[in-house]
Amino acid sequence: MIYTVTFNPSLDYIVSVEDFRLGLTNRTSSELILPGGKGTNVSTVLMNLGIESTALGFVAGFTGDEIVRRLEEMGVISDFIQIEEGISRINLKLKSIDGTEINGCGPHISAEKVAVLMDKLQKLQQGDVLVLAGSIPSSMPNDIYSSIMEKLQGRGIHIVVDATKDLLMNVLQYHPFLIKPNNHELGEIFQVELKTREDVIPYARKMQEKGARNVLVSMAGQGAVLVAENGEVYQSPAPKGTLVNGVGAGDSMVAGFMAGWMQKQDYEYAFYMGLASGSASAFSENLATKQEIETVYQSIIEEEI
Protein backbone atom coordinates (compact mmCIF):
# COMPACT_ATOMS: atom_id res chain seq x y z
CA MET A 1 0.00 0.00 0.00
CA ILE A 2 1.11 3.57 -0.66
CA TYR A 3 0.40 6.28 1.90
CA THR A 4 0.82 10.00 1.28
CA VAL A 5 1.02 12.62 4.00
CA THR A 6 0.00 16.24 3.40
CA PHE A 7 0.36 18.23 6.61
CA ASN A 8 -1.25 21.34 5.16
CA PRO A 9 -3.70 20.38 2.38
CA SER A 10 -5.63 23.08 0.59
CA LEU A 11 -8.40 24.01 -1.76
CA ASP A 12 -6.60 25.41 -4.80
CA TYR A 13 -8.51 28.20 -6.50
CA ILE A 14 -6.92 28.40 -9.95
CA VAL A 15 -7.97 31.42 -12.00
CA SER A 16 -7.11 33.18 -15.24
CA VAL A 17 -7.45 36.96 -15.46
CA GLU A 18 -7.00 38.70 -18.79
CA ASP A 19 -4.91 41.87 -18.57
CA PHE A 20 -4.47 41.73 -14.78
CA ARG A 21 -4.01 45.23 -13.28
CA LEU A 22 -2.96 46.08 -9.75
CA GLY A 23 -5.23 48.38 -7.75
CA LEU A 24 -8.28 47.74 -9.92
CA THR A 25 -11.13 45.24 -9.92
CA ASN A 26 -10.17 42.28 -12.10
CA ARG A 27 -12.56 39.61 -13.31
CA THR A 28 -11.72 35.98 -13.98
CA SER A 29 -11.93 34.47 -17.43
CA SER A 30 -11.67 30.91 -16.08
CA GLU A 31 -11.91 29.28 -12.65
CA LEU A 32 -11.05 25.86 -11.28
CA ILE A 33 -11.24 24.55 -7.70
CA LEU A 34 -9.21 21.45 -6.84
CA PRO A 35 -8.08 19.70 -3.68
CA GLY A 36 -4.44 20.66 -3.29
CA GLY A 37 -1.28 19.87 -1.43
CA LYS A 38 1.65 17.84 -2.66
CA GLY A 39 0.69 14.54 -1.05
CA THR A 40 -2.92 14.73 -2.23
CA ASN A 41 -1.67 15.47 -5.75
CA VAL A 42 0.52 12.35 -5.60
CA SER A 43 -2.48 10.27 -4.46
CA THR A 44 -4.63 11.70 -7.26
CA VAL A 45 -2.15 10.85 -10.02
CA LEU A 46 -1.54 7.39 -8.55
CA MET A 47 -5.30 6.86 -8.62
CA ASN A 48 -5.41 8.01 -12.25
CA LEU A 49 -2.73 5.39 -13.00
CA GLY A 50 -4.80 2.69 -11.32
CA ILE A 51 -2.70 2.43 -8.15
CA GLU A 52 -4.48 2.66 -4.82
CA SER A 53 -3.13 4.88 -2.07
CA THR A 54 -4.39 6.43 1.16
CA ALA A 55 -4.08 10.18 1.67
CA LEU A 56 -3.23 11.14 5.25
CA GLY A 57 -2.87 14.53 6.91
CA PHE A 58 -4.91 17.14 8.72
CA VAL A 59 -8.07 19.02 7.69
CA ALA A 60 -10.21 21.63 9.42
CA GLY A 61 -13.46 23.53 8.92
CA PHE A 62 -15.64 23.79 5.84
CA THR A 63 -12.64 23.88 3.52
CA GLY A 64 -11.36 20.66 5.07
CA ASP A 65 -14.74 19.02 4.50
CA GLU A 66 -14.63 20.14 0.87
CA ILE A 67 -11.11 18.78 0.36
CA VAL A 68 -12.24 15.37 1.62
CA ARG A 69 -15.47 15.48 -0.40
CA ARG A 70 -13.68 16.33 -3.63
CA LEU A 71 -11.01 13.68 -3.12
CA GLU A 72 -13.62 11.02 -2.43
CA GLU A 73 -15.62 12.17 -5.46
CA MET A 74 -12.49 11.62 -7.56
CA GLY A 75 -11.99 8.15 -6.05
CA VAL A 76 -9.05 8.92 -3.76
CA ILE A 77 -9.10 7.11 -0.40
CA SER A 78 -8.39 9.45 2.52
CA ASP A 79 -7.95 9.10 6.25
CA PHE A 80 -7.44 12.68 7.38
CA ILE A 81 -7.32 13.78 11.00
CA GLN A 82 -9.90 16.43 11.86
CA ILE A 83 -8.74 19.64 13.56
CA GLU A 84 -11.52 21.24 15.61
CA GLU A 85 -10.40 24.87 15.24
CA GLY A 86 -9.56 26.96 12.20
CA ILE A 87 -9.94 26.02 8.55
CA SER A 88 -7.83 24.29 5.96
CA ARG A 89 -6.18 26.82 3.71
CA ILE A 90 -7.27 28.21 0.37
CA ASN A 91 -4.47 28.81 -2.16
CA LEU A 92 -4.98 31.26 -5.00
CA LYS A 93 -3.11 30.35 -8.19
CA LEU A 94 -3.10 33.06 -10.84
CA LYS A 95 -2.51 31.28 -14.15
CA SER A 96 -2.26 34.49 -16.19
CA ILE A 97 0.95 35.49 -14.40
CA ASP A 98 3.06 32.34 -14.41
CA GLY A 99 4.10 31.17 -10.95
CA THR A 100 2.04 33.78 -9.06
CA GLU A 101 0.36 32.31 -6.00
CA ILE A 102 -1.10 33.47 -2.70
CA ASN A 103 -1.09 30.57 -0.25
CA GLY A 104 -3.01 30.42 3.02
CA CYS A 105 -1.58 29.46 6.42
CA GLY A 106 -3.75 26.54 7.50
CA PRO A 107 -4.91 25.57 10.99
CA HIS A 108 -2.85 25.17 14.17
CA ILE A 109 -1.94 21.50 14.67
CA SER A 110 -1.45 20.45 18.27
CA ALA A 111 1.04 17.91 19.61
CA GLU A 112 -1.92 15.64 20.41
CA LYS A 113 -3.00 15.59 16.77
CA VAL A 114 0.56 14.91 15.62
CA ALA A 115 0.58 11.92 18.00
CA VAL A 116 -2.59 10.60 16.31
CA LEU A 117 -0.82 10.73 12.94
CA MET A 118 2.21 8.95 14.41
CA ASP A 119 -0.09 6.17 15.64
CA LYS A 120 -1.51 5.74 12.14
CA LEU A 121 1.98 5.56 10.63
CA GLN A 122 3.06 2.89 13.12
CA LYS A 123 0.66 0.53 11.34
CA LEU A 124 2.66 0.61 8.10
CA GLN A 125 4.25 -2.69 7.15
CA GLN A 126 7.28 -3.92 5.27
CA GLY A 127 7.02 -3.12 1.58
CA ASP A 128 4.64 -0.19 2.09
CA VAL A 129 5.50 3.19 0.56
CA LEU A 130 5.20 6.46 2.49
CA VAL A 131 5.32 9.79 0.65
CA LEU A 132 6.14 12.85 2.77
CA ALA A 133 5.55 15.88 0.62
CA GLY A 134 5.45 19.63 0.93
CA SER A 135 5.77 22.28 3.58
CA ILE A 136 4.56 22.04 7.16
CA PRO A 137 2.46 24.55 9.14
CA SER A 138 4.41 26.87 11.45
CA SER A 139 2.68 25.23 14.45
CA MET A 140 4.45 21.92 13.79
CA PRO A 141 8.00 21.00 14.85
CA ASN A 142 10.42 21.52 11.96
CA ASP A 143 11.93 18.08 12.52
CA ILE A 144 8.63 16.26 11.94
CA TYR A 145 9.82 14.48 8.76
CA SER A 146 12.99 13.19 10.40
CA SER A 147 11.03 12.19 13.53
CA ILE A 148 8.70 10.07 11.40
CA MET A 149 11.59 8.44 9.55
CA GLU A 150 13.48 7.73 12.76
CA LYS A 151 10.46 5.87 14.17
CA LEU A 152 9.98 3.86 10.98
CA GLN A 153 13.61 3.02 10.19
CA GLY A 154 14.58 -0.60 9.85
CA ARG A 155 11.05 -1.74 8.99
CA GLY A 156 11.44 -2.08 5.22
CA ILE A 157 9.21 0.89 4.40
CA HIS A 158 10.12 2.83 1.25
CA ILE A 159 9.96 6.52 2.15
CA VAL A 160 9.79 9.27 -0.46
CA VAL A 161 10.54 12.85 0.57
CA ASP A 162 9.63 15.85 -1.59
CA ALA A 163 10.62 18.83 0.53
CA THR A 164 13.13 21.66 0.62
CA LYS A 165 16.02 22.96 2.71
CA ASP A 166 16.23 21.68 6.30
CA LEU A 167 13.12 19.49 5.98
CA LEU A 168 14.94 17.58 3.26
CA MET A 169 18.49 17.67 4.62
CA ASN A 170 17.45 16.42 8.06
CA VAL A 171 16.01 13.16 6.66
CA LEU A 172 19.02 12.07 4.62
CA GLN A 173 20.61 10.25 7.56
CA TYR A 174 17.60 7.86 7.50
CA HIS A 175 18.23 6.90 3.85
CA PRO A 176 15.00 7.83 2.08
CA PHE A 177 14.24 5.65 -0.92
CA LEU A 178 13.66 8.71 -3.12
CA ILE A 179 14.08 12.47 -2.87
CA LYS A 180 12.90 14.86 -5.59
CA PRO A 181 14.35 18.36 -5.44
CA ASN A 182 14.21 20.56 -8.50
CA ASN A 183 17.45 22.02 -9.87
CA HIS A 184 16.91 25.37 -8.11
CA GLU A 185 16.30 23.72 -4.73
CA LEU A 186 19.33 21.46 -5.19
CA GLY A 187 21.46 24.44 -6.16
CA GLU A 188 20.26 26.42 -3.15
CA ILE A 189 21.41 23.63 -0.81
CA PHE A 190 24.95 23.80 -2.19
CA GLN A 191 24.87 27.54 -3.03
CA VAL A 192 25.47 27.01 -6.73
CA GLU A 193 23.47 27.67 -9.89
CA LEU A 194 22.52 24.49 -11.76
CA LYS A 195 21.39 25.25 -15.30
CA THR A 196 22.00 22.04 -17.25
CA ARG A 197 21.37 18.35 -16.62
CA GLU A 198 25.12 17.78 -16.58
CA ASP A 199 25.47 20.44 -13.85
CA VAL A 200 22.98 18.56 -11.69
CA ILE A 201 24.63 15.12 -11.67
CA PRO A 202 27.56 15.73 -9.26
CA TYR A 203 25.30 17.48 -6.75
CA ALA A 204 22.72 14.70 -6.92
CA ARG A 205 25.58 12.32 -6.13
CA LYS A 206 26.45 14.48 -3.12
CA MET A 207 22.89 13.96 -1.85
CA GLN A 208 23.45 10.23 -2.22
CA GLU A 209 26.67 10.52 -0.23
CA LYS A 210 24.63 12.19 2.52
CA GLY A 211 22.21 9.24 2.59
CA ALA A 212 19.57 9.45 -0.18
CA ARG A 213 19.18 6.22 -2.15
CA ASN A 214 17.71 7.69 -5.35
CA VAL A 215 17.79 11.35 -6.35
CA LEU A 216 15.30 12.53 -8.97
CA VAL A 217 15.82 16.13 -10.05
CA SER A 218 13.10 17.93 -12.00
CA MET A 219 14.21 20.78 -14.27
CA ALA A 220 11.02 22.11 -15.90
CA GLY A 221 11.83 22.79 -19.58
CA GLN A 222 15.26 21.16 -19.23
CA GLY A 223 13.75 17.78 -18.41
CA ALA A 224 14.96 15.65 -15.52
CA VAL A 225 17.86 13.63 -14.10
CA LEU A 226 17.84 10.47 -11.98
CA VAL A 227 20.92 9.34 -10.09
CA ALA A 228 19.87 5.86 -9.04
CA GLU A 229 21.15 3.68 -6.22
CA ASN A 230 22.31 1.05 -8.74
CA GLY A 231 24.96 3.53 -9.92
CA GLU A 232 23.21 4.44 -13.16
CA VAL A 233 22.41 7.98 -14.27
CA TYR A 234 19.33 8.57 -16.40
CA GLN A 235 18.61 11.92 -18.00
CA SER A 236 16.28 13.27 -20.63
CA PRO A 237 15.19 16.60 -22.07
CA ALA A 238 11.61 17.67 -21.51
CA PRO A 239 9.12 16.17 -23.98
CA LYS A 240 7.57 18.54 -26.47
CA GLY A 241 4.29 20.14 -25.45
CA THR A 242 2.58 23.36 -24.45
CA LEU A 243 2.67 24.43 -20.80
CA VAL A 244 -0.92 24.81 -19.65
CA ASN A 245 -0.74 24.50 -15.86
CA GLY A 246 2.45 23.85 -13.90
CA VAL A 247 0.60 23.25 -10.60
CA GLY A 248 1.22 19.68 -9.45
CA ALA A 249 3.73 18.76 -12.16
CA GLY A 250 6.45 17.87 -9.65
CA ASP A 251 4.01 15.84 -7.56
CA SER A 252 2.91 14.03 -10.72
CA MET A 253 6.55 13.16 -11.41
CA VAL A 254 6.84 11.56 -7.96
CA ALA A 255 3.62 9.59 -8.53
CA GLY A 256 4.70 8.43 -11.98
CA PHE A 257 8.14 7.37 -10.75
CA MET A 258 6.74 5.33 -7.87
CA ALA A 259 4.04 3.80 -10.10
CA GLY A 260 6.71 2.76 -12.61
CA TRP A 261 9.03 1.40 -9.95
CA MET A 262 6.28 -0.60 -8.26
CA GLN A 263 5.21 -2.08 -11.59
CA LYS A 264 8.64 -3.24 -12.80
CA GLN A 265 11.30 -2.48 -10.14
CA ASP A 266 13.24 -0.93 -13.01
CA TYR A 267 14.78 2.51 -12.49
CA GLU A 268 14.93 3.45 -16.15
CA TYR A 269 11.25 2.69 -16.63
CA ALA A 270 10.39 4.50 -13.40
CA PHE A 271 12.38 7.55 -14.53
CA TYR A 272 10.58 7.83 -17.86
CA MET A 273 7.21 7.24 -16.22
CA GLY A 274 8.02 10.05 -13.78
CA LEU A 275 9.05 12.40 -16.58
CA ALA A 276 5.95 11.50 -18.61
CA SER A 277 3.61 12.02 -15.65
CA GLY A 278 5.09 15.38 -14.67
CA SER A 279 5.03 16.63 -18.25
CA ALA A 280 1.52 15.34 -18.93
CA SER A 281 0.20 17.28 -15.93
CA ALA A 282 2.04 20.42 -17.09
CA PHE A 283 0.39 20.05 -20.51
CA SER A 284 -3.08 19.58 -18.97
CA GLU A 285 -5.64 21.83 -17.30
CA ASN A 286 -5.84 19.33 -14.44
CA LEU A 287 -3.60 16.58 -13.06
CA ALA A 288 -2.83 14.13 -15.83
CA THR A 289 -5.00 11.16 -16.70
CA LYS A 290 -3.60 7.70 -17.45
CA GLN A 291 -4.19 8.21 -21.18
CA GLU A 292 -2.38 11.57 -21.18
CA ILE A 293 0.58 10.04 -19.32
CA GLU A 294 0.77 7.05 -21.68
CA THR A 295 0.72 9.38 -24.71
CA VAL A 296 3.61 11.48 -23.39
CA TYR A 297 5.51 8.34 -22.30
CA GLN A 298 5.27 6.96 -25.81
CA SER A 299 6.54 10.22 -27.29
CA ILE A 300 9.56 10.16 -24.94
CA ILE A 301 10.42 6.57 -25.85
CA GLU A 302 10.15 7.35 -29.56
CA GLU A 303 12.48 10.34 -29.12
CA GLU A 304 14.99 8.23 -27.19
CA ILE A 305 14.99 5.60 -29.94
Side-chain angles (χ1 to χ4, degrees), residues 1-18:
M1 172 61 84
I2 300 180
Y3 298 86
T4 66
V5 177
T6 309
F7 290 99
N8 210 1
S10 62
L11 277 181
D12 287 352
Y13 181 45
I14 305 167
V15 301
S16 294
V17 179
E18 305 300 332

Side-chain angles (χ1 to χ4, degrees), residues 91-205:
N91 293 341
L92 173 64
K93 318 278 186 180
L94 189 55
K95 282 176 58 181
S96 315
I97 307 175
D98 188 38
T100 301
E101 303 181 6
I102 301 174
N103 289 352
C105 293
H108 174 87
I109 299 171
S110 67
E112 290 77 16
K113 295 296 185 180
V114 173
V116 174
L117 175 65
M118 291 294 196
D119 287 343
K120 289 180 183 289
L121 295 179
Q122 286 299 324
K123 297 174 184 175
L124 269 64
Q125 301 175 357
Q126 183 171 345
D128 285 344
V129 174
L130 175 63
V131 179
L132 302 172
S135 62
I136 58 173
S138 58
S139 59
M140 295 193 73
N142 57 15
D143 63 349
I144 184 66
Y145 279 13
S146 54
S147 295
I148 289 171
M149 292 189 67
E150 181 182 18
K151 288 180 170 60
L152 296 180
Q153 68 176 330
R155 292 175 48 182
I157 298 165
H158 292 85
I159 300 182
V160 179
V161 179
D162 185 3
T164 60
K165 299 181 181 176
D166 290 346
L167 266 181
L168 176 59
M169 297 304 290
N170 290 342
V171 304
L172 297 181
Q173 61 182 310
Y174 301 110
H175 307 293
F177 175 74
L178 177 71
I179 62 172
K180 196 218 66 67
N182 63 38
N183 57 309
H184 303 298
E185 292 162 349
L186 185 60
E188 188 176 4
I189 288 168
F190 294 102
Q191 298 183 320
V192 294
E193 189 173 6
L194 304 176
K195 293 183 177 180
T196 68
R197 294 189 296 279
E198 287 72 22
D199 290 342
V200 159
I201 294 168
Y203 291 97
R205 289 198 191 279

Side-chain angles (χ1 to χ4, degrees), residues 15-297:
V15 301
S16 294
V17 179
E18 305 300 332
D19 191 26
F20 179 83
R21 291 176 289 175
L22 288 171
L24 297 175
T25 298
N26 295 275
R27 304 203 180 276
T28 62
S29 56
S30 71
E31 301 179 11
L32 188 62
I33 297 177
L34 298 171
K38 296 180 76 63
T40 57
N41 290 341
V42 172
S43 280
T44 299
V45 176
L46 285 170
M47 186 264 305
N48 289 350
L49 286 168
I51 295 177
E52 190 174 282
S53 71
T54 299
L56 302 171
F58 304 93
V59 291
F62 74 99
T63 45
D65 293 341
E66 185 65 5
I67 291 168
V68 172
R69 188 190 72 80
R70 285 177 177 264
L71 285 172
E72 289 179 350
E73 190 175 71
M74 292 159 54
V76 175
I77 300 167
S78 67
D79 187 18
F80 287 103
I81 298 161
Q82 289 284 340
I83 305 295
E84 286 73 28
E85 296 182 357
I87 62 169
S88 294
R89 61 191 180 145
I90 298 173
N91 293 341
L92 173 64
K93 318 278 186 180
L94 189 55
K95 282 176 58 181
S96 315
I97 307 175
D98 188 38
T100 301
E101 303 181 6
I102 301 174
N103 289 352
C105 293
H108 174 87
I109 299 171
S110 67
E112 290 77 16
K113 295 296 185 180
V114 173
V116 174
L117 175 65
M118 291 294 196
D119 287 343
K120 289 180 183 289
L121 295 179
Q122 286 299 324
K123 297 174 184 175
L124 269 64
Q125 301 175 357
Q126 183 171 345
D128 285 344
V129 174
L130 175 63
V131 179
L132 302 172
S135 62
I136 58 173
S138 58
S139 59
M140 295 193 73
N142 57 15
D143 63 349
I144 184 66
Y145 279 13
S146 54
S147 295
I148 289 171
M149 292 189 67
E150 181 182 18
K151 288 180 170 60
L152 296 180
Q153 68 176 330
R155 292 175 48 182
I157 298 165
H158 292 85
I159 300 182
V160 179
V161 179
D162 185 3
T164 60
K165 299 181 181 176
D166 290 346
L167 266 181
L168 176 59
M169 297 304 290
N170 290 342
V171 304
L172 297 181
Q173 61 182 310
Y174 301 110
H175 307 293
F177 175 74
L178 177 71
I179 62 172
K180 196 218 66 67
N182 63 38
N183 57 309
H184 303 298
E185 292 162 349
L186 185 60
E188 188 176 4
I189 288 168
F190 294 102
Q191 298 183 320
V192 294
E193 189 173 6
L194 304 176
K195 293 183 177 180
T196 68
R197 294 189 296 279
E198 287 72 22
D199 290 342
V200 159
I201 294 168
Y203 291 97
R205 289 198 191 279
K206 287 179 183 289
M207 297 298 274
Q208 278 187 321
E209 291 167 7
K210 292 178 182 295
R213 291 171 57 187
N214 297 285
V215 183
L216 177 61
V217 184
S218 57
M219 301 184 67
Q222 287 291 314
V225 173
L226 172 67
V227 177
E229 68 175 335
N230 63 3
E232 296 293 328
V233 175
Y234 307 97
Q235 58 172 301
S236 176
K240 295 180 178 65
T242 302
L243 176 64
V244 175
N245 179 17
V247 176
D251 312 322
S252 300
M253 179 177 280
V254 170
F257 181 94
M258 291 309 300
W261 185 84
M262 292 181 76
Q263 286 163 355
K264 296 190 178 183
Q265 274 77 56
D266 178 277
Y267 285 122
E268 184 175 26
Y269 176 68
F271 171 68
Y272 287 121
M273 275 296 292
L275 181 61
S277 299
S279 299
S281 282
F283 301 158
S284 173
E285 189 74 30
N286 206 332
L287 295 172
T289 64
K290 183 177 184 178
Q291 181 59 56
E292 288 168 339
I293 291 169
E294 288 176 346
T295 299
V296 176
Y297 176 83

